[in-house]
Amino acid sequence: MKWKSTKQLKVSKCPRCMSTYGLTRLSVCSSSNLFVPAVMFLYLLGLLFFYYLYRWVRELPRVSDKGSKYVYITGCDSGFGNLLARHLDKQGFRVIAACFTEKGEEDLKKSCSGNLITTHLDVRSNDSIAKVAAMIKDKVGARGLWAVVNNAGVSVPSAPCDWLNIDDYKSMLDVNLNGVIAVTLSILPLIKKARGRVVNVASVFGRISVTGGPYTVSKYGVEAFNDSLRLNMNPFGVKVLCIEPGFFKTNVTDSGILSKNVKMLWDRLSQDVKDDYGPEYLEKALALLKDKIGKLSDGDLMKVVNCMEHAVSAVRPRTRYSPGWDAKLFWLPLSYMPTCVSDYIMQREAIPLAKQVQ
């Protein structure tokens, strides 16, 4: 590396790169250019730090008068909904916890304050949804409903598309998508009255589809409903927010439930389809479920519950939340990649089929 100059007066050495240079009126050592990327990196790092600091401070304030604010949560028998109901009850919100089973209601009543209200809800039934909506209307009165959290969902039946029939799709869509829409529409006038929030629980699989069956279809649908509702409700002062969790240890990712589902679907397949996949496919699929799902799933459910709580109680909530490091560092980046790249990555991990085209 040498110094360039318009006029050379004296030959010497560059103290940094030890190359010969001439002391001139216009001299620039090329080694100094090495500092430009480092300075730019530090500058960008500083901007990133101040952005996240600003966002953290901005999102700190919580709404006041929690004791007068009603929050309606579906799917409170277990998992995220159950923990959220307990969490918000401790914070002083008036929680209306909808459970599918009597046991779920009884367990919640034992562990929460007398302010918490439990009710039976089957999101597949219009009559059940309407009955709960009428009860909520009587409870909240003129103040309206502060928030609804559409948490109820199922993950079975799930399998490759050619293992399933249309009834399999309908059974899951009735819970994961149609149930979300029906519950929301049933109490939307009450939400508008309170200028409150709609919190929809989707999934990272509402961003990218890596498995067959209706689960990803339902979650893509929730994302679409969420986006359209957010735009529709913005003029009314209603906030519509989406939770997109990665893998967490709940009934949705329970390897026992998923394995039982796969066995049931395999047993009903025609012999032609079984031959396409091969006699070893079932055993490998069950081993994959037991090994991968267990390793991927995070046991700290409060990561999701804290996002839900923030969506309900923050003065300035985020539009989207993506709890889980797998969501942040793998699934969401994968969803932004070109299709050929994401397909290649997922197919590398897929179980080989007996009649697979090479």
Side-chain angles (χ1 to χ4, degrees):
M1 291 180 283
K2 294 183 178 181
W3 287 67
K4 297 178 182 178
S5 123
T6 56
K7 183 177 180 182
Q8 195 169 37
L9 300 177
K10 182 180 178 181
V11 176
S12 184
K13 294 283 186 179
C14 170
R16 194 176 312 129
C17 63
M18 297 306 292
S19 59
T20 304
Y21 66 88
L23 292 176
T24 68
R25 284 173 295 179
L26 294 173
S27 303
V28 180
C29 179
S30 60
S31 65
S32 64
N33 293 335
L34 297 175
F35 286 90
V36 175
V39 171
M40 288 300 295
F41 174 75
L42 291 174
Y43 178 71
L44 291 174
L45 199 63
L47 283 177
L48 196 64
F49 170 77
F50 282 110
Y51 165 74
Y52 280 106
L53 179 63
Y54 165 76
R55 190 178 76 167
W56 177 72
V57 172
R58 184 176 182 274
E59 293 177 350
L60 278 178
R62 295 297 197 269
V63 296
S64 59
D65 197 18
K66 295 177 182 178
S68 66
K69 288 180 168 60
Y70 283 83
V71 181
Y72 175 26
I73 309 169
T74 68
C76 293
D77 296 84
S78 62
F80 302 135
N82 186 279
L83 286 175
L84 179 65
R86 298 167 190 255
H87 189 57
L88 293 183
D89 178 63
K90 288 179 181 178
Q91 291 196 346
F93 283 97
R94 304 297 294 269
V95 177
I96 302 172
C99 301
F100 185 64
T101 65
E102 290 183 8
K103 185 179 185 302
E105 291 187 60
E106 292 171 1
D107 290 345
L108 264 181
K109 286 178 181 177
K110 292 176 183 177
S111 59
C112 295
S113 74
N115 289 329
L116 181 132
I117 301 167
T118 62
T119 184
H120 170 74
L121 175 67
D122 182 351
V123 297
R124 301 167 299 178
S125 166
N126 289 335
D127 289 340
S128 180
I129 291 171
K131 184 178 179 181
V132 174
M135 179 271 289
I136 292 173
K137 185 177 181 180
D138 290 338
K139 289 286 183 184
V140 301
R143 76 191 71 182
L145 178 65
W146 174 249
V148 60
V149 181
N150 285 302
N151 168 73
V154 294
S155 62
V156 294
S158 288
C161 296
D162 55 346
W163 290 27
L164 304 169
N165 56 48
I166 192 61
D167 289 332
D168 296 323
Y169 278 80
K170 287 179 178 178
S171 67
M172 188 180 291
L173 292 174
D174 280 345
V175 177
N176 290 6
L177 178 57
N178 296 336
V180 169
I181 297 171
V183 167
T184 302
L185 297 181
S186 73
I187 45 77
L188 196 54
L190 301 176
I191 296 282
K192 289 167 69 177
K193 187 178 291 187
R195 294 184 182 178
R197 286 100 190 270
V198 177
V199 183
N200 294 315
V201 180
S203 168
V204 286
F205 288 161
R207 295 291 200 98
I208 184 168
S209 184
V210 298
T211 181
Y215 186 77
T216 54
V217 175
S218 69
K219 294 305 181 181
Y220 269 69
V222 170
E223 293 274 359
F225 174 65
N226 186 86
D227 288 349
S228 61
L229 186 68
R230 185 181 65 252
L231 293 171
N232 295 158
M233 291 296 104
N234 185 61
F236 299 105
V238 172
K239 293 178 171 62
V240 181
L241 317 159
C242 194
I243 314 291
E244 302 168 333
F247 279 82
F248 285 86
K249 291 185 185 297
T250 67
N251 287 339
V252 170
T253 58
D254 187 288
S255 60
I257 295 174
L258 295 174
S259 297
K260 185 178 179 181
N261 160 76
V262 169
K263 289 178 185 176
M264 180 272 292
L265 294 173
W266 176 266
D267 289 340
R268 79 177 192 188
L269 289 178
S270 67
Q271 192 57 48
D272 288 344
V273 177
K274 288 182 179 180
D275 291 341
D276 288 342
Y277 284 82
E280 298 179 353
Y281 184 87
L282 177 61
E283 183 179 345
K284 291 179 179 178
L286 295 175
L288 184 67
L289 283 174
K290 185 176 181 181
D291 181 51
K292 288 289 180 71
I293 298 297
K295 289 180 178 178
L296 282 173
S297 298
D298 191 334
D300 184 8
L301 303 189
M302 287 304 297
K303 290 177 182 177
V304 179
V305 173
N306 287 335
C307 290
M308 292 174 163
E309 179 270 327
H310 190 271
V312 169
S313 66
V315 173
R316 290 179 287 270
R318 299 180 197 175
T319 302
R320 279 186 165 84
Y321 299 81
S322 301
W325 288 113
D326 62 318
K328 291 180 175 68
L329 301 180
F330 183 71
W331 298 113
L332 290 182
L334 188 67
S335 72
Y336 289 113
M337 291 182 184
T339 304
C340 60
V341 175
S342 61
D343 282 0
Y344 172 75
I345 290 172
M346 298 315 303
Q347 286 170 355
R348 280 190 61 187
E349 300 297 319
I351 301 170
L353 309 184
K355 295 187 178 180
Q356 183 168 317
V357 178
Q358 300 299 328

